[in-house]
Amino acid sequence: MTTKCLAIETSCDETAVAIVDDNKNIVANIVKSQIDLHQIYGGVVPEIAARAHLDVLDDLIKQALVDTRLEQIDIFAATCGPGLIGGLVVGVTAAKTLAAITGKPFFAVNHLAGHALTARLTNQISFPYLMLLISGGHCQILLVSQPEKYDLIGQTIDDSLGECFDKVAQMLNLGYPGGPAIEKQAINGNPNRFKFSLPLISKKNHQNLFNFSFSGLKTAVRLQIEKISPLNQQDIADISASFQATIGKILIDRLSNVVANRDIKNIVIAGGVAANRYILTSLQNWAKKYNIQVIAPPIKLCTDNAVMIAWAALERQKFDHVGDDLSFAPRPRWQL
Ligand code: KG4
Ligand code: ZN
């Protein structure tokens, strides 16, 4: 007997609906991006995002159910946080309504748990594993030992990594979202032309061994841009490549500290920035000498989607979780 989950993701600027079963079949995976609505503002506008989720969600649910009858769904799930509250309310209300009318369980899923567990859907990985969560809102290193057991090892003390990519892209007039644009520019750039210093690296006190800081790097890039402006195409490519290479070095330095006194076999990188293939390849090359496998889900499952929310709900259900109460309120902030 398989268990089928229909899940809804509306925490940021993607409206997504998916149906996944516990045999790892992705029955439906629909993602409607709102990027075109937010692009002119250079970032996500919460009120516009919430309204856009409301406009399209019903139709996306219908599309997801094209080959599946509603009665065939065993559990319903929605991202309940962290995220923008207006969007969360739209998705959570829809999933709760479907659960209520069908009499099936409702699962309130943490968006970060979705990112954290996706690699177990796409790859054969057993617990425990180390997770580098690099998204628009987070930069954390966690030890994942069960679907609901996460130990925080290190995190950013200022900006998230996605935010840092987006801000640097904005300085280079590369548009929003910035991460993919920087990765594209960097392909034609010289990563050694600019040397940006590595934050926290020289300060070897215990807390700083595993934490991140990106605000100084952002300022260093801004000062460099001011120094050589006006920028030509090659300057933009070289700054992108040098910035991206610096990020690679920072991640490797922090992960080296973490694995130094732990027995780690797998590192999963998750979140939107995990879509960056330069970062993935750099980490994979570094990890070879430790015999560690570095895994990132396929790009379309790294950026926000509802497959990961469905899978997180199925993992929890397998772990004897009967579901959450329909009174479970969305949480704009929700630590793993
Ligand atoms: O996980 P995500 O889709 O949304 C959040 O939950 O935050 O992450 C979005 C972030 C954005 O900052 C975006 O610029 C970044 O992920 N991103 C990338 C790439 N693709 C998306 N950053 C670097 N390289 C990429 N290829
Ligand atoms: Zn995300």
Side-chain angles (χ1 to χ4, degrees), residues 38 67 126 128 142 153 159 161 180 182 189 214 252 300 302 306 326:
H38 303 289
D67 293 320
S126 43
L142 299 134
I153 295 173
D159 298 339
L161 190 49
I182 295 222
F214 298 111
I252 285 173
K300 72 177 199 304
C302 283
L326 289 182

Side-chain angles (χ1 to χ4, degrees), residues 35 165-166 169 174 176-187 244 272 275-276 303:
I35 283 178
F165 266 94
D166 291 339
L174 294 177
Y176 170 85
I182 295 222
E183 184 177 12
K184 202 164 149 207
Q185 287 294 327
I187 292 169
Q244 197 177 245
N276 186 301
T303 48

Side-chain angles (χ1 to χ4, degrees), residues 3 75 105 109 125 141 204 207 217 219 222 233 239 243 273 278 289 291 298 303:
T3 305
I75 63 175
V109 175
I125 306 175
I141 301 174
K204 291 287 182 197
Q207 200 204 351
L217 174 59
T219 308
R222 185 172 52 75
Q233 192 50 50
I239 288 173
F243 163 75
V273 187
Y278 169 85
K289 67 170 182 276
N291 250 335
T303 48

Side-chain angles (χ1 to χ4, degrees), residues 231-242:
L231 303 180
N232 63 34
Q233 192 50 50
Q234 194 55 50
D235 295 331
I236 293 174
D238 291 346
I239 288 173
S240 298
S242 303

